[in-house]
Amino acid sequence: MNVLLGGRALPHRTVAFDRDRNAVLLIEQRLLPHEFKIIATPDYRHTAEAIRSMIVRGAGAIGATAAYGLAQGAQAFRGRDLDKFTAHVQTVYQTLADARPTAVDPVNAMNDVLAALRPGQTVAEQQALALAAAEEFANGDVAHCRAIGEHGAKLIRNGMRILTHCNAGWLAFVDIGSTTAPLYAAQARGRTFHVYCDETRPRSQGATLTAWELAQQKIPHHIIADNAAGHLMQRGEIDLVIVGSDRVLGRTGEVANKIGTYTKAVLAARHHIPFYVAIPLSTIDWRLKRGRDIPIEERDEAEVLGAWGVTPAGKRTYIRVANPASPARNPGFDVTPPDLITGLITPVGILKPAELWKHRQSLGHA
Amino acid sequence: MNVLLGGRALPHRTVAFDRDRNAVLLIEQRLLPHEFKIIATPDYRHTAEAIRSMIVRGAGAIGATAAYGLAQGAQAFRGRDLDKFTAHVQTVYQTLADARPTAVDPVNAMNDVLAALRPGQTVAEQQALALAAAEEFANGDVAHCRAIGEHGAKLIRNGMRILTHCNAGWLAFVDIGSTTAPLYAAQARGRTFHVYCDETRPRSQGATLTAWELAQQKIPHHIIADNAAGHLMQRGEIDLVIVGSDRVLGRTGEVANKIGTYTKAVLAARHHIPFYVAIPLSTIDWRLKRGRDIPIEERDEAEVLGAWGVTPAGKRTYIRVANPASPARNPGFDVTPPDLITGLITPVGILKPAELWKHRQSLGHA
């Protein structure tokens, strides 16, 4: 999508590969929204470190970064010994997998790359295959998001006021994003609409990343406190809600997403406002039986007790907002039941959450 | 209530009067929760400035401050000329009324003081009457809060987990508070319970003021992001909700309160969790006909776009959190309909919001 630089809108991907330098190109997301910077990782160890330190975050984006990182490591091998090459690739794989040990996307993406390395070929041939497979993974991520956009754009009519929560935008994927895909596709069709971004405390991804994306794309929007969405719905100022998801249960249709999503779904249901969840198919978990079994991570209380930002003097800092002697609880995610969800916007169409299991074969469940 | 100073719990009122110095004693609330400081206003102009600059805030607290300020101004008059004294008192009244022109509490409180000044008395007698009336107003505020606590404490059983939103604690009144009164009364009865304080973005009064109060009183509590309450309710971790109110409509039972209150009421109703609103009778508006007619103030967008707090180096600052190019909307209040409210905890007992009008004569409506 676009980035506004010096008044001009330049297209960028969140993750890309520079063949000449054998480097992965990443947006340094920890500097956003206050600064835009592209970094080039000089070798696969730096690529792993970029995943670990959250220079890049988001399911699709870290998957593609790991895939490119594996290809980058393979490219860097010097020599013709296939056994040594295979051992080297295994080291690269493990280094990248260890960068975010609980994330499933880097491993899935690298397995796609490994599957492309056919036995009996030369090192040079395998190096070329690895890079092609990484490119294919990244392009596949973009194609899935584009398809989500095609289906989701049908929901957006002129003049609509759309609420979003957190960020599942192009910064979380290789490009386009999931939650944001219908917005970008509707904009491309010439439709005009307004977005309300929940700030999404405690990490404020709505106020920082989603708002930054929409500003780059020149989509009219306001940031609101998470507390304000209910009031706006009550006054008839929200027409549609679109959120993303970290995990959708294929068996029940329950949706795990950033803390606060459930609250917005309850409010939307009360006000008969359509509530959609935009996801790639890789988000569907076909194994877990009940939403209550989804582990809800309790994150660092410092997130709730303060905030990160920039002082009037331009200095980046964390500030403590809360009473110094008080502790906080910080559940990172919540689970929304399927009866509160109007539909799932997927690359293959808009589905009712309760129908996932019925369509499991066409949705890629083995 | 208590303030912990040097490891000892010392009792304090939010607003008090020092007869020896003819000064109003106020907690400098803008420094809380990071610093505790008492200031003494040397004359009525400083008292008015303390109201204007929000050193003191909250309905009961600014009412008592204005009442004391009027008595303070009267005390400072030198001479025996009753006409000059009356003109001076009128000047003091106007100065204090102008400090927060939209607030009704300072004017109501000062009218109580003026009503005590009977014609035909000497300046010295009127000065004494003014001070006595101001003390009576302040003590009445405390008595009302204590009565709210007596009624509300009956709702709190051992082991309960109680959610609060914003701050209607003793810092907003002369002492004890409205929302917090049932907590303090239950604690005095030896009951043990746990409080979850919504941080209450964008101004974070829950994370700062309510959490500070509870910490001083040694009541176990956690701060949570406003987004987390729905999740805790869904997991059965909230048993009771108590909030305050800025205005309750006597004709309809609708409750205006800090933005986000309506959202918590919707969530509580879904989970069959009792939702109470603690108020003094002065909060009831007998005139307005519909909640939709309550003006909802749109506050400064800077509140939503950033936060106030203390850096790791101990420096107080505002930081910009949000994307620099993005605007915000910031409605300050919302309106909760009576069907979502289990009861109003008032000084005269717990009432259903829809029954206010029926009881209007016993509730002081002329």
Side-chain angles (χ1 to χ4, degrees), chain A residues 33-34 165 196 198-204 207-208 211-213 215-216 221-232 234-237 259-264 266-267 269-271 291-294 296 298 301 304-312 315 317-331 333-337 339-340, chain B residues 33-34 165 196 198-204 207-208 211-213 215-216 221-232 234-237 259-264 266-267 269-271 291-294 296 298 301 304-312 315 317-331 333-337 339-340:
Chain A
H34 306 289
H165 190 72
Y196 286 107
D198 276 347
E199 65 171 326
T200 321
R201 284 280 298 163
R203 287 172 62 82
S204 306
T208 56
W212 182 84
E213 284 195 19
Q216 304 310 303
H221 64 286
H222 279 104
I223 299 165
I224 57 172
D226 299 296
N227 280 323
H231 170 68
L232 293 181
Q234 194 186 35
R235 299 259 159 145
E237 298 186 38
I259 191 77
T261 301
Y262 169 64
T263 292
K264 301 309 147 77
V266 169
L267 288 166
R270 177 177 168 92
H271 295 284
R292 278 201 68 102
D293 297 336
I294 299 174
I296 302 295
E298 279 273 346
E301 67 173 2
V304 174
L305 298 172
W308 287 262
V310 172
T311 68
K315 192 175 179 304
T317 188
Y318 172 80
I319 57 168
R320 169 94 183 196
V321 172
N323 178 47
S326 294
R329 277 194 60 190
N330 187 14
F333 303 92
D334 60 28
V335 178
T336 300
D339 58 293
L340 297 179
Chain B
H34 306 289
H165 191 71
Y196 286 108
D198 277 346
E199 65 171 325
T200 321
R201 283 279 298 162
R203 286 171 63 81
S204 305
T208 56
W212 182 84
E213 284 195 22
Q216 305 308 302
H221 65 284
H222 279 103
I223 299 164
I224 57 172
D226 299 295
N227 279 324
H231 170 69
L232 293 181
Q234 194 187 36
R235 299 259 158 147
E237 297 186 39
I259 191 78
T261 301
Y262 169 65
T263 292
K264 301 310 147 76
V266 169
L267 288 166
R270 176 177 169 93
H271 296 285
R292 278 201 69 101
D293 296 336
I294 299 174
I296 302 295
E298 279 273 346
E301 67 172 3
V304 174
L305 298 171
W308 287 262
V310 172
T311 68
K315 191 173 178 305
T317 188
Y318 172 80
I319 56 169
R320 170 92 184 196
V321 172
N323 179 48
S326 295
R329 277 195 59 189
N330 187 15
F333 303 92
D334 60 28
V335 177
T336 300
D339 58 291
L340 298 178

Side-chain angles (χ1 to χ4, degrees), chain A residues 77-235:
Chain A
F77 181 81
R78 295 285 166 261
R80 298 184 176 185
D81 185 326
L82 256 180
D83 287 343
K84 285 185 183 166
F85 174 76
T86 302
H88 169 75
V89 166
Q90 190 52 43
T91 302
V92 176
Y93 179 101
Q94 204 54 50
T95 305
L96 288 158
D98 290 347
R100 286 277 295 274
T102 58
V104 71
D105 299 273
V107 169
N108 286 345
M110 289 193 292
N111 288 346
D112 275 14
V113 175
L114 283 190
L117 306 186
R118 287 185 288 276
Q121 296 191 292
T122 66
V123 166
E125 283 166 339
Q126 294 216 351
Q127 288 173 320
L129 284 170
L131 187 49
E135 292 281 15
E136 192 178 322
F137 180 90
N139 289 333
D141 186 75
V142 176
H144 299 152
C145 289
R146 186 164 287 127
I148 290 170
E150 297 298 315
H151 295 294
K154 295 170 198 153
L155 303 171
I156 299 176
R157 294 185 299 279
N158 274 332
M160 269 191 165
R161 286 121 346 144
I162 302 163
L163 180 74
T164 63
H165 190 72
C166 201
N167 175 260
W170 67 270
L171 292 167
F173 292 86
V174 176
D175 205 353
I176 299 171
S178 60
T179 305
T180 48
L183 307 178
Y184 298 143
Q187 183 190 37
R189 284 159 176 68
R191 287 186 209 139
T192 56
F193 51 90
H194 195 90
V195 180
Y196 286 107
C197 308
D198 276 347
E199 65 171 326
T200 321
R201 284 280 298 163
R203 287 172 62 82
S204 306
Q205 296 95 331
T208 56
L209 302 179
T210 303
W212 182 84
E213 284 195 19
L214 296 176
Q216 304 310 303
Q217 213 63 27
K218 300 187 178 173
I219 292 178
H221 64 286
H222 279 104
I223 299 165
I224 57 172
D226 299 296
N227 280 323
H231 170 68
L232 293 181
M233 289 184 184
Q234 194 186 35
R235 299 259 159 145

Side-chain angles (χ1 to χ4, degrees), chain B residues 43-357:
Chain B
D43 70 30
Y44 76 87
R45 290 181 200 84
H46 286 83
T47 305
E49 178 57 23
I51 294 172
R52 195 202 60 71
S53 63
M54 300 188 79
I55 288 173
V56 59
R57 29 65 61 191
I62 61 173
T65 303
Y68 280 133
L70 189 58
Q72 176 188 34
Q75 293 285 112
F77 181 80
R78 295 285 166 260
R80 296 183 178 184
D81 185 327
L82 259 178
D83 286 345
K84 284 186 184 165
F85 174 76
T86 302
H88 169 72
V89 167
Q90 191 51 44
T91 303
V92 176
Y93 180 101
Q94 204 54 52
T95 304
L96 288 158
D98 289 347
R100 286 278 294 274
T102 59
V104 71
D105 298 274
V107 168
N108 286 344
M110 290 193 292
N111 288 345
D112 277 13
V113 175
L114 283 190
L117 306 187
R118 285 184 289 277
Q121 298 187 296
T122 66
V123 166
E125 284 166 339
Q126 294 216 358
Q127 287 173 322
L129 282 170
L131 187 49
E135 292 283 14
E136 193 180 319
F137 181 89
N139 290 333
D141 186 75
V142 177
H144 299 152
C145 289
R146 187 164 287 127
I148 291 170
E150 297 298 315
H151 295 294
K154 295 170 197 154
L155 303 171
I156 299 177
R157 295 184 299 279
N158 275 329
M160 268 192 167
R161 288 122 342 146
I162 302 163
L163 179 73
T164 64
H165 191 71
C166 199
N167 174 261
W170 68 271
L171 292 168
F173 291 86
V174 176
D175 205 352
I176 299 171
S178 59
T179 306
T180 48
L183 308 177
Y184 298 143
Q187 183 190 37
R189 284 159 175 68
R191 288 188 208 137
T192 56
F193 51 90
H194 194 90
V195 179
Y196 286 108
C197 308
D198 277 346
E199 65 171 325
T200 321
R201 283 279 298 162
R203 286 171 63 81
S204 305
Q205 295 95 331
T208 56
L209 302 179
T210 303
W212 182 84
E213 284 195 22
L214 297 176
Q216 305 308 302
Q217 213 62 28
K218 300 187 177 172
I219 292 178
H221 65 284
H222 279 103
I223 299 164
I224 57 172
D226 299 295
N227 279 324
H231 170 69
L232 293 181
M233 288 184 185
Q234 194 187 36
R235 299 259 158 147
E237 297 186 39
I238 304 283
D239 304 301
L240 177 65
V241 186
I242 308 180
V243 301
S245 173
D246 293 89
R247 176 152 29 172
V248 175
L249 296 202
R251 292 171 185 269
T252 66
E254 288 162 291
V255 166
N257 192 41
K258 188 66 61 210
I259 191 78
T261 301
Y262 169 65
T263 292
K264 301 310 147 76
V266 169
L267 288 166
R270 176 177 169 93
H271 296 285
H272 310 294
I273 298 166
F275 186 94
Y276 286 91
V277 181
I279 52 161
L281 297 182
S282 58
T283 300
I284 303 171
D285 178 336
W286 295 106
R287 286 164 304 142
L288 214 60
K289 293 210 173 74
R290 318 182 305 164
R292 278 201 69 101
D293 296 336
I294 299 174
I296 302 295
E297 178 189 0
E298 279 273 346
R299 298 179 53 83
D300 186 350
E301 67 172 3
E303 293 181 353
V304 174
L305 298 171
W308 287 262
V310 172
T311 68
K315 191 173 178 305
R316 241 163 238 291
T317 188
Y318 172 80
I319 56 169
R320 170 92 184 196
V321 172
N323 179 48
S326 295
R329 277 195 59 189
N330 187 15
F333 303 92
D334 60 28
V335 177
T336 300
D339 58 291
L340 298 178
I341 298 164
T342 313
L344 301 170
I345 311 172
T346 79
V348 298
I350 296 178
L351 303 169
K352 292 281 173 196
E355 293 173 357
L356 284 178
W357 189 248

